[in-house]
Amino acid sequence: MFASLTFLSNGYGEDAIAASLAAEFQRLATHLKLQAYPTVDEGKAYEGLNIPILGPRQIMPSGGLLLHSPQLFFKDMRSGFIPMTLRQLYDLRYLKTDCLVVVGDVYALTLSQLVRCKKRFFYQSIVSAYHGLDEGRHYANRYTMEYISPWEKRLIKNSVSQLYVRDAFSAEQLSQEGIKGLALGNPMVDMLAEGSLDPKFIQGLSRPIIALLPGSRSYKYEALKLMFAALEQFPEASGLIAWPGGALPQIAGWQAQKLARGHCYQQAHSPQRIILLEGQFSAILRSAELVLGTAGTAHEQAAALGLPVLSFPVLPHYRPAFLENQKRLLASALSLTTPDPQEIATALRRLWQEPKLYREACEMGKRRMGPGGGSFKIVQHILSHNFCN
């Protein structure tokens, strides 16, 4: 009889991190029977692993950001958030597994208390001790996204066999409170495939080459329109869009021409090109020199590669509070501006044309995000203690 291991995750980025861990388990422990329970979205990150994906797999309008604004909260309520949550509570109450690996924050850890398991492991993928540094404003509705709360600490001490944290600074801070959190490397870095785009594909693009990361949530079209407008104000730049899928964006004044691997956007009287590609996220980052994004985990992955990131809010979904929180984490690796095309273009130019600023952003991103190898080391640590055997 195979031992069973279940992943419980609560978010797009969290699903991807859990899937990275699952891939390592598949490679290192073929005897384990794996399954996943995503609680926020469809859990598409798990689909390539050929493992059972449990739960209603329902996407809410907020995309998991319901506490970011009253509008998003009420949209989720009208779309069936409460019935969906009740279904999840019922499912988890009757879920039994030998090992449970929780990836996310205090919400996921709280839900995990319903699961019957022999051992529970928790990778806190949301909060870093850097979030608590006194820079900018702190918001009450984001408390559990910026701090390990007393409730979460109690759950960790009473129900978690091992806590894994994002960085050494977080581990040091928790150790002062008697909580042992291991920082074994950053799984977000492991999710980035090696290799950039074929040089022949980008050799005609003017510099700087800017990776455009509109994110995967519903506001991606609105965000992308602002990015196009900003690049119109920065005509010497080129763009590479990491498109998450969905209908092809229609941008006024720009014509999309089909390419073998995507689409090329151009204006009638301008040599500037913006190329849209699907399924090439890692290669785009490794081919870019700057990042303009309205994403979450993708910003942190870009920073880990040493790319300066510029972002702006897209209301009501993508709010200043979220960006200020991420700014505390990434420090000078992330620059913020207003959702104004001219302001965005000015900020991009400044990052590109000031070597000292550019270099500081590159170095800070690598330092704050830390090294890769976390997926392998976390899985190896669990297996080496025979927790799952």
Side-chain angles (χ1 to χ4, degrees), residues 8 98-102 105-123 150-163 179-180 387:
L8 178 67
D98 292 325
C99 292
L100 183 66
V101 178
V102 183
D105 59 9
V106 63
Y107 179 72
L109 185 58
T110 300
L111 288 179
S112 80
Q113 304 303 303
L114 296 171
V115 180
R116 288 175 289 174
C117 60
K118 296 177 182 177
K119 295 288 181 178
R120 181 183 289 104
F121 305 94
F122 180 36
Y123 177 63
W151 167 248
E152 187 172 358
K153 291 173 184 175
R154 181 177 178 181
L155 290 179
I156 291 169
K157 289 180 177 179
N158 294 338
S159 70
V160 172
S161 301
Q162 181 60 63
L163 167 69
I179 298 174
K180 183 182 178 181
F387 288 139

Side-chain angles (χ1 to χ4, degrees), residues 29-101:
T30 56
H31 67 283
L32 283 175
K33 181 181 178 181
L34 306 181
Q35 61 185 10
Y37 199 109
T39 63
V40 168
D41 68 296
E42 293 180 301
K44 287 185 176 294
Y46 294 110
E47 290 180 352
L49 299 171
N50 194 30
I51 64 175
I53 305 174
L54 312 177
R57 302 186 67 186
Q58 185 175 350
I59 297 178
M60 291 287 105
S62 73
L65 304 178
L66 76 164
L67 294 181
H68 285 221
S69 75
Q71 302 99 305
L72 296 178
F73 178 83
F74 288 114
K75 279 185 179 180
D76 277 14
M77 294 302 109
R78 289 193 294 268
S79 298
F81 178 82
I82 292 178
M84 180 193 73
T85 302
L86 291 175
R87 161 73 188 280
Q88 291 175 346
L89 295 176
Y90 179 85
D91 288 347
L92 295 173
R93 175 66 181 82
Y94 291 97
L95 181 61
K96 186 177 180 180
T97 186
D98 292 325
C99 292
L100 183 66
V101 178

Side-chain angles (χ1 to χ4, degrees), residues 98-274:
D98 292 325
C99 292
L100 183 66
V101 178
V102 183
V103 180
D105 59 9
V106 63
Y107 179 72
L109 185 58
T110 300
L111 288 179
S112 80
Q113 304 303 303
L114 296 171
V115 180
R116 288 175 289 174
C117 60
K118 296 177 182 177
K119 295 288 181 178
R120 181 183 289 104
F121 305 94
F122 180 36
Y123 177 63
Q124 222 306 355
S125 62
I126 306 295
V127 179
S128 165
Y130 288 118
H131 286 132
L133 299 179
D134 293 327
E135 299 177 20
R137 293 172 291 177
H138 294 262
Y139 299 81
N141 65 327
R142 293 196 57 83
Y143 178 79
T144 58
M145 305 171 210
E146 299 183 356
Y147 301 94
I148 304 292
S149 67
W151 167 248
E152 187 172 358
K153 291 173 184 175
R154 181 177 178 181
L155 290 179
I156 291 169
K157 289 180 177 179
N158 294 338
S159 70
V160 172
S161 301
Q162 181 60 63
L163 167 69
Y164 304 98
V165 294
R166 296 174 53 114
D167 51 73
F169 182 52
S170 297
E172 292 169 6
Q173 295 298 305
L174 286 169
S175 68
Q176 297 177 12
E177 300 183 53
I179 298 174
K180 183 182 178 181
L182 295 179
L184 300 179
N186 197 330
M188 290 184 191
V189 182
D190 304 334
M191 291 150 52
L192 296 168
E194 294 293 334
S196 55
L197 296 172
D198 188 331
K200 295 179 181 178
F201 184 74
I202 60 174
Q203 64 184 1
L205 296 180
S206 57
R207 300 180 65 195
I209 298 175
I210 302 174
L212 305 181
L213 311 179
S216 57
R217 293 183 170 88
S218 59
Y219 61 80
K220 62 187 178 184
Y221 293 99
E222 184 180 352
L224 199 59
K225 288 178 182 179
L226 278 168
M227 293 180 189
F228 269 80
L231 261 61
E232 288 180 26
Q233 305 294 321
F234 194 3
E236 58 268 41
S238 300
L240 292 172
I241 305 170
W243 189 240
L248 192 69
Q250 303 296 316
I251 309 295
W254 293 77
Q255 296 297 318
Q257 178 184 357
K258 186 73 174 69
L259 300 176
R261 300 170 62 186
H263 290 80
C264 178
Y265 285 83
Q266 280 189 283
Q267 294 176 304
H269 304 291
S270 172
Q272 188 178 41
R273 288 189 290 166
I274 300 177

